[in-house]
Amino acid sequence: MFPIPTGSLLALGAILFCIGLYGALTKRNLIIVLVSIELMLNAANINLVTFSRLGVGPNISGQVFALFTITVAAAEIAVGLALLLAIFRVRKTTEVQDLNVHKH
């Protein structure tokens, strides 16, 4: 089995997190924002699993935390898509800037 260097995995996690952060902060479509948040959570999962390999005795605590993060991410995307559908039915748009609640 070919071991992947720790620095490469951490760099991959950082790059994915930066791409997700860019998408969450700059995109106007709510679906793209939700996908960007998922990308950020997956980057955190990569880092959790990478850091669990380090140390004198590697343990599975990083994998356990990553499993909980995947569960939370699945619930977040389900609730986010349900809210998105409800907003789309009322406002007929998925643009973030059009979701001002106080607008009449």
Side-chain angles (χ1 to χ4, degrees):
M1 189 169 172
F2 182 70
I4 301 172
T6 303
S8 298
L9 290 172
L10 293 177
L12 174 67
I15 290 168
L16 286 177
F17 189 85
C18 290
I19 292 170
L21 184 64
Y22 174 78
L25 294 177
T26 60
K27 300 302 177 185
R28 297 182 183 195
N29 193 341
L30 197 56
I31 296 173
I32 301 299
V33 172
L34 287 173
V35 170
S36 297
I37 292 171
E38 288 291 321
L39 192 62
M40 292 167 57
L41 287 171
N42 286 329
N45 286 340
I46 290 172
N47 287 334
L48 285 170
V49 172
T50 301
F51 282 123
S52 72
R53 292 185 340 165
L54 298 177
V56 177
N59 54 18
I60 63 166
S61 62
Q63 286 90 348
V64 171
F65 281 124
L67 184 64
F68 285 128
T69 306
I70 290 169
T71 306
V72 169
E76 174 258 331
I77 204 71
V79 170
L81 286 176
L83 288 172
L84 178 69
L85 285 174
I87 290 169
F88 182 74
R89 286 181 183 166
V90 174
R91 304 270 179 159
K92 303 293 187 225
T93 185
T94 60
E95 298 295 318
V96 175
Q97 65 187 4
D98 297 335
L99 299 179
N100 190 356
V101 179
H102 302 294
K103 191 185 286 185
H104 289 93

